[in-house]
Amino acid sequence: MSFKDKLKNILTPVEDDEYLEFSDDEVETLSDYETPRASDGTKLPSDTKMVLFEPRSFEESEEVARYLKEKRAAVVNLHRLQRDYAQRTIDFLTGVVFALDGSIQKIGHNVILCTPKTIGVQGEISMNLEEFDS
């Protein structure tokens, strides 16, 4: 391999369709953060659970956190909370999700989806009402 080819290999970005291949032994030795994710996001374990919550007080957000720690997704409807308690609940759950490397997103007015990192979420829900006014 010539110097020019070596330099080209160093400077050329990796193509999107190139992936690292790991043997079974290598995958077992990887930490939880280094484990490669499945390329197909539709494959979910058969024991995947989703829990629905409609808290009436801030204290009930701790129960949501427990379910997230158990690797379950949670849909939280905040309609029954006063505005300041709803914001406090969102702040708390954002911290929980961050600590678990999960994700949190708004899926409706006063409705959020919290997922641990083991559950991927595909797609996006648009909250822009101007699209429907045409």
Side-chain angles (χ1 to χ4, degrees):
M1 184 179 278
S2 71
F3 176 74
K4 184 178 177 182
D5 292 333
K6 288 181 183 179
L7 185 61
K8 182 179 176 184
N9 286 340
I10 292 172
L11 297 177
T12 305
V14 177
E15 297 295 321
D16 289 338
D17 58 343
E18 293 181 23
Y19 298 100
L20 293 176
E21 297 286 330
F22 293 103
S23 69
D24 291 337
D25 295 334
E26 290 174 319
V27 171
E28 289 178 11
T29 61
L30 295 175
S31 74
D32 199 25
Y33 292 102
E34 297 172 319
T35 304
R37 294 184 182 205
S39 61
D40 183 11
T42 60
K43 295 180 182 177
L44 291 175
S46 61
D47 64 342
T48 301
K49 305 277 187 201
M50 179 176 289
V51 186
L52 307 175
F53 289 95
E54 196 170 48
R56 296 170 192 252
S57 68
F58 172 74
E59 288 75 26
E60 292 180 37
S61 59
E62 290 179 24
E63 187 177 351
V64 178
R66 275 190 237 108
Y67 278 98
L68 289 169
K69 286 172 55 178
E70 293 173 5
K71 297 184 173 143
R72 295 182 180 179
V75 174
V76 184
N77 182 347
L78 302 167
H79 284 101
R80 296 190 179 260
L81 289 175
Q82 294 176 7
R83 185 175 181 174
D84 56 334
Y85 287 119
Q87 185 61 52
R88 189 173 169 198
T89 299
I90 291 170
D91 293 344
F92 173 75
L93 292 176
T94 300
V96 170
V97 166
F98 176 79
L100 298 174
D101 290 330
S103 68
I104 187 169
Q105 59 184 319
K106 184 176 182 177
I107 59 174
H109 180 69
N110 285 342
V111 181
I112 57 173
L113 171 65
C114 303
T115 56
K117 75 176 184 175
T118 56
I119 299 177
V121 177
Q122 291 181 332
E124 188 173 314
I125 295 178
S126 174
M127 297 295 164
N128 189 357
L129 297 177
E130 293 174 5
E131 294 175 4
F132 301 108
D133 291 339
S134 307

